Amino acid sequence: MESNWNTESLLAAYPRLEQNKDFYLGRLSDAEKGFLNTFGKKAERFFSAPGRTEIGGNHTDHQHGCVLAAAVDLDIVGAAAKNDTNIIRIFSEGYGMEEISLDALAVVEAEKNTTSSLIRGVASKISQMGYALGGFDMYTVSNVLKGSGISSSAAYEVLVGTTINLLFCEGKLNPVQIAQIGQYAENVYFGKMSGLMDQTASSVGGIVAIDFADNANPVVRKLDFDFVKAGYALCIIDSGADHADLSDEYSAIPVEMKKVAEHFGKEVLREVTLTDLLGDMAAVRAKTGDRALLRAYHFLKDHQRAIDEAQALESGDFVKFLSLVKESGYSSFMYLQNVYVSGAVAHQDVAYALAVCEAALEGKGAYRIHGGGFAGTVQAFVPQDMLGKFVAQVEHALGTGRCHVLSIRPAGGTELYKQ
């Protein structure tokens, strides 16, 4: 099977291909066989979209701030072929078939919070942009764990957008447009008011510094940095926390931040300066409450930290980068307050995971809350010479399989080519 695939396209998606060829080629084989068994014909094209990791800028994107993010080598693979109908059929291994008609692309209220809504939303937006779409069949295989903080929904949106772009749009949509299409599907059709960071990191690939001052035209800059060459491994640690019923906790963050912005006559905190906030703290506190003020303080500091982190990587100052990562983590815990649900006493899974990481790192590297918070994952940058010990200690405390060692993936949403 190895000789059937274009190695260059695989390496762009799977930087650790040489270390574990059987695993990666096996996943492609699973997608190919799954397509044949499901649709009774051979797949013609193969596509991939990665999960993402948030490196810097915790809850800054929805306030038009700056973030630092990266695509990782966990992905959703799709084996696909046009079907000469007006129906999109996508079978996800382990979940089943989703089917939508291109003749009915309006929002379906009963479909919100489902995978079908994402497909319909992506197709609708591309259709609105003037492209003539057609039906296709696809079989997907994913190792982007749901609820892992790696953003499986963004990877799925980017996969569908990339597939439609390359099958029907002659590749005319650029990665940022595909990200915006995915965000539209998630906001309008799925019903989740996410920012644009997840989709952009997945669609563009590599390490990206993103400035969301203008959400319609975000400034995306790719950074040339290799954590492995710097002597560090990127780990994502699953805290095991329950993700149920957290929508109100997530929603409260942008709501409270916007209350502070409104105090200054602004729509989002990006339009407020730290000097503004510090000069009127007592009045802000009286009007919005302590937590809203503290969350605004976090944003204004973490927005700048994301900029500084990118500059530190570009200048090769990894010591400063690690220091900024730790500062971000402390700020998220103390001021953003997204490490555990308010009032929780017996269950503080993410805080526990942070303590485990701090102990295992022994003053080296860096660690922080990852992504939205409250449940989910912790991110750690671990010196390569202590990686084995770190993984063992973390999994002893949290459970086998809870520590994921990842690599940055150069390619975003992409096609994988057979020879």
Side-chain angles (χ1 to χ4, degrees):
M1 179 179 172
E2 180 179 344
S3 62
N4 292 338
W5 292 92
N6 177 279
T7 302
E8 185 178 351
S9 70
L10 293 189
L11 283 171
Y14 311 120
R16 293 185 287 181
L17 177 68
E18 297 302 325
Q19 293 97 308
N20 201 351
K21 278 187 178 180
D22 289 345
F23 170 74
Y24 292 110
L25 295 177
R27 292 181 69 240
L28 293 172
S29 178
D30 288 345
E32 192 169 16
K33 291 175 183 175
F35 184 92
L36 177 63
N37 292 337
T38 302
F39 300 106
K41 58 184 179 182
K42 288 186 177 181
E44 298 171 357
R45 310 272 292 268
F46 297 85
F47 304 97
S48 166
R52 70 94 183 102
T53 183
E54 171 201 283
I55 298 172
N58 195 211
H59 278 278
T60 55
D61 60 335
H62 53 69
Q63 296 300 298
H64 292 206
C66 290
V67 302
L68 186 64
V72 296
D73 58 347
L74 299 177
D75 73 331
I76 308 176
V77 173
K82 293 182 180 180
N83 60 23
D84 299 321
T85 74
N86 229 24
I87 304 292
I88 295 175
R89 299 188 298 172
I90 302 179
F91 188 99
S92 299
E93 187 175 76
Y95 295 94
M97 184 75 77
E98 306 289 344
E99 197 171 297
I100 71 122
S101 170
L102 295 172
D103 296 323
L105 293 180
V107 174
V108 179
E109 289 298 324
E111 195 177 68
K112 288 197 169 182
N113 295 302
T114 69
T115 304
S116 288
S117 70
L118 297 178
I119 303 168
R120 197 181 307 276
V122 169
S124 175
K125 186 62 175 178
I126 296 176
S127 178
Q128 291 171 39
M129 295 169 73
Y131 293 97
L133 308 187
F136 66 92
D137 299 323
M138 185 156 67
Y139 186 96
T140 73
V141 175
S142 177
N143 62 358
V144 184
L145 304 175
K146 284 184 176 290
S148 66
I150 310 298
S151 199
S152 57
S153 61
Y156 192 88
E157 293 151 18
V158 169
L159 179 70
V160 175
T162 299
T163 301
I164 293 175
N165 183 36
L166 295 176
L167 288 182
F168 301 103
C169 308
E170 300 178 335
K172 291 180 180 178
L173 298 171
N174 65 47
V176 174
Q177 287 177 306
I178 291 173
Q180 291 168 327
I181 290 163
Q183 184 198 25
Y184 171 84
E186 190 157 323
N187 291 174
V188 178
Y189 280 71
F190 188 85
K192 179 181 178 183
M193 297 309 295
S194 67
L196 188 57
M197 176 186 68
D198 294 355
Q199 292 86 353
T200 305
S202 177
S203 186
V204 174
I207 303 174
V208 287
I210 313 168
D211 186 337
F212 289 113
D214 179 1
N215 247 8
N217 299 284
V219 178
V220 181
R221 190 173 82 256
K222 291 193 78 164
L223 277 60
D224 182 16
F225 190 86
D226 190 329
F227 290 116
V228 175
K229 288 182 180 177
Y232 283 78
L234 168 64
C235 295
I236 298 294
I237 296 94
D238 181 2
S239 70
D242 185 359
H243 290 75
D245 301 324
L246 291 174
S247 294
D248 289 346
E249 296 286 342
Y250 294 126
S251 297
I253 294 176
V255 167
E256 291 179 12
M257 286 184 176
K258 286 189 175 185
K259 283 183 180 177
V260 176
E262 288 168 3
H263 172 83
F264 294 97
K266 306 297 183 181
E267 185 178 346
V268 291
L269 281 175
R270 176 63 180 269
E271 300 169 341
V272 178
T273 69
L274 183 59
T275 301
D276 292 336
L277 183 67
L278 296 179
D280 205 21
M281 287 185 77
V284 174
R285 181 187 188 195
K287 184 174 181 180
T288 68
D290 289 354
R291 191 173 72 171
L293 183 146
L294 293 171
R295 284 175 164 173
Y297 179 76
H298 162 82
F299 166 84
L300 292 168
K301 298 284 281 187
D302 223 43
H303 159 69
Q304 184 60 48
R305 261 190 294 265
I307 297 170
D308 295 342
E309 286 170 350
Q311 291 175 344
L313 290 182
E314 289 180 309
S315 66
D317 191 345
F318 201 66
V319 172
K320 181 179 180 181
F321 169 77
L322 292 174
S323 176
L324 290 165
V325 170
K326 286 188 280 190
E327 284 181 20
S328 177
Y330 297 150
S331 180
S332 293
F333 206 146
M334 292 187 293
Y335 305 128
L336 182 60
Q337 300 179 40
N338 69 331
V339 169
Y340 55 85
V341 175
S342 299
V345 176
H347 298 288
Q348 298 186 6
D349 306 76
V350 177
Y352 174 75
L354 289 167
V356 169
C357 288
E358 180 181 60
L361 283 170
E362 300 174 350
K364 309 283 180 57
Y367 61 98
R368 67 190 281 272
I369 182 72
H370 180 250
F374 301 110
T377 56
V378 169
Q379 179 186 77
F381 293 94
V382 183
Q384 290 281 358
D385 60 5
M386 63 188 303
L387 180 59
K389 180 182 176 184
F390 176 85
V391 172
Q393 190 166 336
V394 167
E395 297 202 338
H396 175 73
L398 287 166
T400 302
R402 290 286 180 82
C403 185
H404 305 278
V405 182
L406 306 179
S407 288
I408 304 301
R409 159 175 159 150
T414 190
E415 183 166 4
L416 305 175
Y417 296 98
K418 301 202 82 172
Q419 302 281 20

